[in-house]
Amino acid sequence: MNKKKQGHIGKRIKTLRIEKGLTQEELGVMLGFDKGTVSKMERGENAPTAKTLLSLKKLFGVSTDWILTGEGFKHPLEIDTADEYGQGLLEMLNDIKSNKTALIKVLSFFFEYKAKNLSTFFKKKDRKISGPV
């Protein structure tokens, strides 16, 4: 991996660390490194290993693609497959690669699911929507 790419990865790691309110020393302890190793990784002098990337993914709840490239979703979509809507959504997402109509179904399903949950939330809590909706 070239130094320029390592530097960008390091900047993203530093951003994640700061967003989480951690010092280099605290992150180092979590990863099993010393502060200097974290500093070198953030400056792009050392590239994270595959094991470190997986640890960062779990620790910060981000995708490894985002750490490596800065592209795609920073926080991947989490689907609760124990829920009937989650199961349906997962099945439809698997169809999207080959079927554009499936994408439309997924989006419709997603908005229906969100609307149902918001409706249930306001009914259960006896809350009212205020402000622009």
Side-chain angles (χ1 to χ4, degrees):
M1 185 177 302
N2 72 38
K3 291 282 185 188
K4 189 174 182 179
K5 281 189 179 182
Q6 282 178 224
H8 293 298
I9 293 168
K11 286 178 185 178
R12 285 188 286 279
I13 293 170
K14 182 177 182 177
T15 298
L16 291 169
R17 175 182 61 78
I18 291 170
E19 285 175 358
K20 197 83 160 178
L22 298 171
T23 64
Q24 287 180 335
E25 187 172 4
E26 291 168 329
L27 179 58
V29 167
M30 293 174 170
L31 297 173
F33 302 139
D34 61 20
K35 176 183 172 182
T37 302
V38 173
S39 177
K40 287 180 180 179
M41 196 167 32
E42 288 182 355
R43 289 193 317 263
E45 293 176 22
N46 290 346
T49 64
K51 182 180 176 183
T52 301
L53 281 171
L54 292 175
S55 295
L56 291 167
K57 173 186 174 176
K58 287 180 183 178
L59 177 66
F60 295 118
V62 298
S63 71
T64 52
D65 287 343
W66 185 84
I67 296 171
L68 290 171
T69 66
E71 295 176 3
F73 294 105
K74 183 175 179 182
H75 299 282
L77 177 65
E78 292 182 19
I79 300 172
D80 180 5
T81 55
D83 177 84
E84 68 179 272
Y85 285 96
Q87 291 245 336
L89 182 59
L90 187 60
E91 288 172 16
M92 285 186 271
L93 286 171
N94 288 329
D95 290 338
I96 287 177
K97 291 179 184 174
S98 61
N99 186 346
K100 290 180 184 179
T101 306
L103 176 58
I104 294 168
K105 284 183 182 178
V106 168
L107 292 173
S108 298
F109 188 84
F110 176 75
F111 289 117
E112 176 188 333
Y113 175 72
K114 288 296 180 187
K116 176 184 176 265
N117 282 341
L118 283 174
S119 173
T120 302
F121 172 78
F122 285 107
K123 283 180 187 173
K124 283 184 180 177
K125 303 293 182 185
D126 195 31
R127 295 188 170 117
K128 297 187 182 206
I129 300 173
S130 62
V133 180

